[in-house]
Amino acid sequence: MRGGRGEVEVKRVFIGAGCNRIVNNVSWGASGFVSFGAHNAVAIFCPKSAQIVTTLPGHKAVVNCTHWLPTSKFLFKAKQLEKHYLLSGDADGAIILWELSLADGKWRQVLQLPQLHKKGVTCISGMMVSQTEAMFASTSSDCTVCVWELVFPVTGSGDCKLSCLDSFSIGSKSMVALSLAELPGDSRNIVLAMGGLDNKVHLYCGGRTGKLVHACELKGHTDWIRSLDFSLPINVNGEANNIFLVSSSQDKGIRIWKMALRSSMLNGNDIYKKGEISLSSYIEGPVLLAGSSSFQISLESLLIGHEDWVYSVTWQPPLASSLEGGTYYQPQSILSASMDKTMMIWQPEKTSGVWMNVVTVGELSHCALGFYGGHWSPNGDSILAHGYGGSFHLWKNVGNDNWLPQKVPSGHFAPVTDISWARSGDYIISASHDQTTRIFAPWKVEASLQHGEFWHEISRPQVHGHDINCMAVIHGKGNHRFVSGADEKVARVFEAPLSFLKTLNNATLQKSCSTDDILGNVQILGANMSALGLSQKPIYVQAVHEIPERRGIDGIDTLETIPDAVPTVFTEPPIEDQLAWHTLWPESHKLYGHGNELFSLCCDHRGELVASSCKAQSAAVAEVWLWQVGSWKAVGRLQSHSLTVTQMEFSYDDNFLLTVSRDRQFSVFSITRTGSGEISYSLLGRQEGHKRIIWSCSWNPHGHEFATGSRDKTVKIWAVEKDSSIRQLMTLPQFMSSVTALSWVGLHHQRDHGLLAVGMENGQIELWNLSYNRADDGCIAAPGLVAALVVRIDPFICHASAVNCLAWKKNQEDHTSLQLASCGADNCVRVFDVTV
């Protein structure tokens, strides 16, 4: 992507995001990609590389469900497809159709469906009728169901044709699970199964073009029905005249229903005519009439094994027959996922035909807090779960039903509030309202250096009991440290344990380097979670060999027990279970002083001072506190603002502290250090810089100029003059949306040039080139500052919601290639390569 002056190119390096905690949120397509909702964005990840490849912006509300056309179930009908399609539904009732071109990996939004649903979409389920035709159904919490037909273009340049075949209301109790299938014997008839809050499975039948009519209902479940899935026709005695429907419920049970095509109707004397009920039909179950065919429905099996709600059940995708070329058969294998933290694979025993649980995965997991859904890979050799904590869990069958965990993408499952680079530039650390801080880093592999490097989450230093609003990395010498502030009045200081330092060495391929000095001084191996999830207690190196034995009831794993952390040095990127418990950092200090919840933190460039602010409605509470790194004593309380200070930043020579506030004003404080280490400060100036809240600010790395960004959609550039006065240099042209994040980087090969990254409430990021001519006294003359938009980053790699923070990597060796990190309200952390 190029644009403007100076030819700046921006590429996506990394996207980290967690999955929305919603049942039908994930879909595994025949394309091999997995789709899921990340707040109001649709994210796409590649299981082979464990990387999120793109996010699709377009939804205004949280994405509830995604569904591929074709899904992995219809891979056998998608061999020739050049383009695959994806449906996504949100909490406002909107459904969007997306198109993926397999040849070049490009995405485009095809259309937004007519909005027939007035409330959130709860489920979308579809099937491929032919190579170029699909049908799908959608349901919503407004108790309506819509059935749609979609005809794909025959040529690459054509358009999709969409038509609504039927739309009907299903009473006062909404449906949350759907499944569509073609009936065997006559493919012109389809059956739609739906289940929900009335504990029954409702079956609707109809032609491919006409209205659907209610055929019958299946009773047996005693709680809400959460998932339904039709099999493809299954061969029985050489004839594929049977299809099976599997249903799961909050009653912890799974039921398999058999629908068998009855060979012929009795000549006018059929005891199963509609409206008549006899003893035999009551015992066997209802009969489904569809056109000229009828199907006897019976309960094939009841599967009991899960100990909590069963949120999803799916049939294994069809496999190629080894006997007949080009034909596919439906394996008798079902995957179930439950809130009891397990996924199970069920298959009938070869001799008796009794359905048994043959594989169970996830049962040792402490962190998942239950699974919201399970999915098969297109070829059936991998299974994927998504959990309560926004996490993915992937297992692969490496042979003989030996299912091993695999790497998957990870990230926050709530808005990401703050982000910062490590002082070494080796990793980024982010804070979120999901009550965690996470570290992401590029994991280098010696054998594949020529193929680049993939980013992964390598540590979760803080797992807290409050939403985390801000964090700041502490610069300067010594061990890696950061301060975080949450919805509490205390700021907390964390220090890297030995296990993290060694893991970081493995990730960066640094066998022996300057970190050896640090390693020798660190006596803490890791940290344990406290019972309330607030403080994290250190585990000392010498204490590892003195693990006390657990006796009696303490050994029983219950919801109340907290497993002991086992700090581990990782030689490959850790998976979710390891991240959640074994990568915590110990808390070294608490900073008490603020009267309200922490809102903003920053550290100076020498690593000597930390500034903090909290939510405020008065001048007394809105003061900024200064803390001395090391002793962690409060050494200053700066008063200037009357409302919350939203962001702060020290100038690059650490002589000034800039603060911006909800009161529409910015303040510049002069910071002076005496020889004895004491700090003195004074208010240099305060101005009402904007007409609305000022959200962000950033200093010029090569001078005393700074930028401020506001809800009034403007960015203004200011300068601190030699006489300590503050002068406005210019206002950038008005932006399309509120400016929520700024970050200014100097271009080292051109000291009179800089790049200003501007993040907005609509998720967009723009890069502006700021060039300036300094007078002999070092000040910029007003006409000497020139600003030009150089690139507007592609929306498909930008955020889908407000950009909360931007951060340029400092001390970059390559002066033509820069890295920019960003985080946003769409739950995403992103890293961009910027070539100038």
Side-chain angles (χ1 to χ4, degrees):
M1 184 190 336
R2 297 177 182 274
R5 306 177 189 180
E7 292 293 304
V8 171
E9 188 173 7
V10 179
K11 290 181 182 174
R12 171 195 61 82
V13 174
F14 169 70
I15 302 172
C19 179
N20 290 341
R21 297 195 280 191
I22 302 165
V23 175
N24 296 309
N25 200 243
V26 177
S27 179
W28 199 331
S31 60
F33 291 113
V34 176
S35 62
F36 66 96
H39 196 65
N40 65 323
V42 179
I44 310 294
F45 90 76
C46 174
K48 290 179 182 175
S49 64
Q51 297 290 298
I52 297 174
V53 293
T54 192
T55 53
L56 311 178
H59 286 284
K60 301 286 189 292
V62 170
V63 175
N64 281 350
C65 47
T66 64
H67 189 83
W68 281 93
L69 292 173
T71 59
S72 55
K73 180 177 179 179
F74 290 98
L75 173 65
F76 71 102
K77 284 191 177 181
K79 293 289 187 184
Q80 311 302 321
L81 284 183
E82 296 176 0
K83 294 182 177 175
H84 286 225
Y85 294 85
L86 177 67
L87 293 156
S88 57
D90 68 26
D92 283 347
I95 300 176
I96 295 178
L97 177 68
W98 310 87
E99 178 188 270
L100 166 65
S101 171
L102 293 182
D104 56 9
K106 292 283 176 61
W107 283 87
R108 74 179 183 98
Q109 182 177 326
V110 181
L111 54 87
Q112 182 165 334
L113 276 63
Q115 193 153 342
L116 302 182
H117 296 300
K118 300 294 181 277
K119 290 184 180 177
V121 180
T122 53
C123 185
I124 299 173
S125 179
M127 65 175 184
M128 297 294 291
V129 178
S130 68
Q131 286 271 6
T132 58
E133 190 179 352
M135 292 182 67
F136 65 93
S138 59
T139 185
S140 160
S141 45
D142 66 0
C143 302
T144 60
V145 175
C146 298
V147 182
W148 310 80
E149 181 183 54
L150 186 63
V151 179
F152 304 143
V154 180
T155 61
S157 58
D159 286 328
C160 291
K161 293 178 183 172
L162 176 82
S163 52
C164 181
L165 301 179
D166 201 0
S167 177
F168 51 93
S169 176
I170 35 87
S172 60
K173 295 196 173 179
S174 64
M175 298 290 126
V176 294
L178 299 172
S179 187
L180 266 173
E182 291 179 302
L183 287 168
D186 185 354
S187 63
R188 289 173 299 179
N189 285 323
I190 63 160
V191 59
L192 170 64
M194 61 181 75
L197 279 57
D198 64 356
N199 310 346
K200 302 172 189 172
V201 179
H202 300 268
L203 296 179
Y204 285 73
C205 284
R208 289 243 306 268
T209 55
K211 300 284 184 184
L212 296 180
V213 294
H214 188 270
C216 61
E217 56 190 38
L218 310 178
K219 299 177 182 176
H221 286 294
T222 57
D223 206 335
W224 291 10
I225 289 163
R226 299 310 303 234
S227 182
L228 295 164
D229 192 33
F230 276 111
S231 71
L232 294 169
I234 290 179
N235 269 307
V236 178
N237 301 327
E239 293 186 350
N241 288 333
N242 303 310
I243 63 170
F244 288 83
L245 172 67
V246 62
S247 60
S248 72
S249 164
Q250 291 180 186
D251 64 10
K252 308 176 190 176
I254 300 167
R255 289 172 180 259
I256 304 174
W257 311 86
K258 180 180 179 182
M259 298 172 61
L261 177 66
R262 300 174 69 232
S263 56
S264 63
M265 300 285 283
L266 301 177
N267 297 328
N269 300 316
D270 185 10
I271 60 170
Y272 298 116
K273 271 186 183 172
K274 202 171 181 182
E276 294 183 22
I277 297 176
S278 68
L279 181 61
S280 58
S281 68
Y282 179 79
I283 293 170
E284 290 187 296
V287 168
L288 180 92
L289 297 176
S292 59
S293 305
S294 67
F295 294 83
Q296 177 67 57
I297 302 177
S298 57
L299 180 63
E300 172 78 3
S301 187
L302 172 61
L303 312 182
I304 301 294
H306 286 294
E307 298 173 359
D308 209 332
W309 298 357
V310 186
Y311 266 140
S312 92
V313 279
T314 49
W315 288 92
Q316 184 176 338
L319 298 174
S321 171
S322 57
L323 301 175
E324 306 163 48
T327 61
Y328 285 78
Y329 70 96
Q330 170 69 64
Q332 293 203 44
S333 182
I334 291 170
L335 174 68
S336 62
S338 165
M339 284 299 280
D340 66 5
K341 308 178 188 176
T342 65
M343 283 205 300
M344 295 181 179
I345 297 176
W346 306 81
Q347 293 172 358
E349 200 184 27
K350 287 186 170 61
T351 52
S352 66
V354 176
W355 284 80
M356 307 285 288
N357 165 26
V358 294
V359 174
T360 302
V361 294
E363 68 268 40
L364 298 177
S365 168
H366 288 291
C367 61
L369 294 175
F371 293 143
Y372 275 0
H375 303 271
W376 292 94
S377 65
N379 60 3
D381 70 347
S382 298
I383 52 177
L384 176 76
H386 64 107
Y388 178 83
S391 56
F392 286 106
H393 306 259
L394 179 67
W395 290 268
K396 183 169 183 169
N397 184 3
V398 295
N400 300 322
D401 271 347
N402 181 18
W403 296 80
L404 296 182
Q406 305 294 308
K407 289 194 286 287
V408 284
S410 65
H412 296 283
F413 58 91
V416 190
T417 50
D418 210 347
I419 196 167
S420 183
W421 287 90
R423 66 168 192 267
S424 60
D426 288 332
Y427 60 84
I428 54 175
I429 182 166
S430 57
S432 165
H433 284 164
D434 70 2
Q435 305 186 346
T436 66
T437 57
R438 304 182 189 225
I439 289 177
F440 301 92
W443 195 284
K444 298 174 181 175
V445 182
E446 286 173 328
S448 61
L449 283 178
Q450 65 272 22
H451 302 301
E453 56 199 18
F454 286 127
W455 283 65
H456 297 278
E457 183 179 351
I458 65 165
S459 178
R460 206 165 293 171
Q462 185 183 9
V463 178
H464 202 40
H466 295 290
D467 293 3
I468 303 175
N469 297 324
C470 52
M471 51 78 49
V473 167
I474 296 167
H475 304 288
K477 296 178 181 177
N479 196 3
H480 300 252
R481 290 176 291 182
F482 74 92
V483 191
S484 76
D487 271 343
E488 54 179 349
K489 302 173 185 178
V490 188
R492 298 173 187 268
V493 184
F494 296 86
E495 191 161 329
L498 198 58
S499 56
F500 171 79
L501 296 172
K502 291 182 176 178
T503 297
L504 184 63
N505 277 355
N506 290 336
T508 55
L509 294 179
Q510 293 173 330
K511 301 303 181 196
S512 60
C513 59
S514 58
T515 55
D516 285 348
D517 297 334
I518 302 173
L519 291 173
N521 294 325
V522 176
Q523 295 301 311
I524 296 175
L525 189 62
N528 258 323
M529 178 81 72
S530 71
L532 293 176
L534 295 176
S535 293
Q536 292 169 195
K537 308 295 184 191
I539 300 172
Y540 290 95
V541 174
Q542 64 270 25
V544 172
H545 308 294
E546 305 164 10
I547 298 173
E549 291 183 20
R550 285 191 167 188
R551 298 182 180 276
I553 198 163
D554 289 344
I556 299 173
D557 183 22
T558 67
L559 285 175
E560 287 73 35
T561 62
I562 294 174
D564 282 329
V566 184
T568 309
V569 178
F570 296 104
T571 55
E572 59 180 21
I575 59 173
E576 178 67 23
D577 279 14
Q578 297 162 330
L579 285 166
W581 294 106
H582 308 314
T583 63
L584 294 171
W585 288 21
E587 183 183 305
S588 61
H589 292 87
K590 294 182 181 69
L591 309 183
Y592 295 96
H594 285 290
N596 282 335
E597 298 92 338
L598 270 291
F599 195 83
S600 179
L601 285 162
C602 75
C603 179
D604 69 357
H605 298 83
R606 301 180 198 176
E608 296 175 355
L609 283 179
V610 167
S612 63
S613 73
C614 70
K615 297 178 183 177
Q617 296 289 333
S618 65
V621 184
E623 59 189 6
V624 173
W625 285 57
L626 293 180
W627 309 87
Q628 191 166 42
V629 173
S631 69
W632 296 111
K633 293 178 180 175
V635 293
R637 294 167 67 170
L638 316 184
Q639 294 185 340
S640 175
H641 296 284
S642 56
L643 294 173
T644 306
V645 173
T646 53
Q647 194 180 353
M648 305 172 288
E649 191 174 293
F650 285 92
S651 62
Y652 279 72
D653 59 7
D654 289 335
N655 290 335
F656 300 108
L657 173 65
L658 169 65
T659 63
V660 296
S661 168
R662 284 179 175 272
D663 63 11
R664 308 175 185 180
Q665 299 187 338
F666 67 81
S667 301
V668 178
F669 296 89
S670 172
I671 309 290
T672 309
R673 295 163 175 82
T674 63
S676 59
E678 292 182 1
I679 304 294
S680 63
Y681 49 86
S682 60
L683 177 62
L684 207 64
R686 179 178 67 221
Q687 284 193 31
E688 182 167 330
H690 293 266
K691 302 296 183 193
R692 305 288 299 277
I693 292 172
I694 307 178
W695 282 124
S696 55
C697 61
S698 186
W699 285 95
N700 174 12
H702 294 320
H704 288 156
E705 296 78 39
F706 59 89
T708 56
S710 164
R711 184 180 277 173
D712 64 10
K713 304 180 183 179
T714 63
V715 171
K716 296 182 179 181
I717 313 293
W718 313 79
V720 180
E721 303 287 2
K722 292 286 187 183
D723 60 359
S724 298
S725 63
I726 298 169
R727 179 167 62 94
Q728 182 178 343
L729 297 179
M730 72 177 306
T731 302
L732 298 188
Q734 188 154 5
F735 291 86
M736 299 288 290
S737 182
S738 301
V739 176
T740 51
L742 293 172
S743 187
W744 195 333
V745 68
L747 301 179
H748 291 279
H749 58 296
Q750 297 173 302
R751 287 190 62 84
D752 57 348
H753 280 71
L755 271 183
L756 181 66
V758 181
M760 287 168 267
E761 195 173 33
N762 62 6
Q764 289 296 291
I765 300 172
E766 293 182 1
L767 301 183
W768 286 74
N769 191 349
L770 299 179
S771 56
Y772 29 84
N773 296 315
R774 294 191 184 276
D776 294 337
D777 61 357
C779 296
I780 296 176
L785 179 63
V786 178
L789 172 65
V790 289
V791 70
R792 186 174 284 127
I793 299 179
D794 183 353
F796 280 88
I797 60 173
C798 271
H799 293 275
S801 235
V803 181
N804 285 334
C805 187
L806 292 165
W808 290 99
K809 181 177 176 181
K810 309 248 185 344
N811 308 322
Q812 305 190 57
E813 296 172 5
D814 184 355
H815 300 326
T816 60
S817 180
L818 307 170
Q819 284 197 318
L820 173 67
S822 69
C823 66
D826 59 358
N827 306 358
C828 291
V829 169
R830 297 169 192 264
V831 179
F832 305 95
D833 262 343
V834 180
T835 307
V836 293

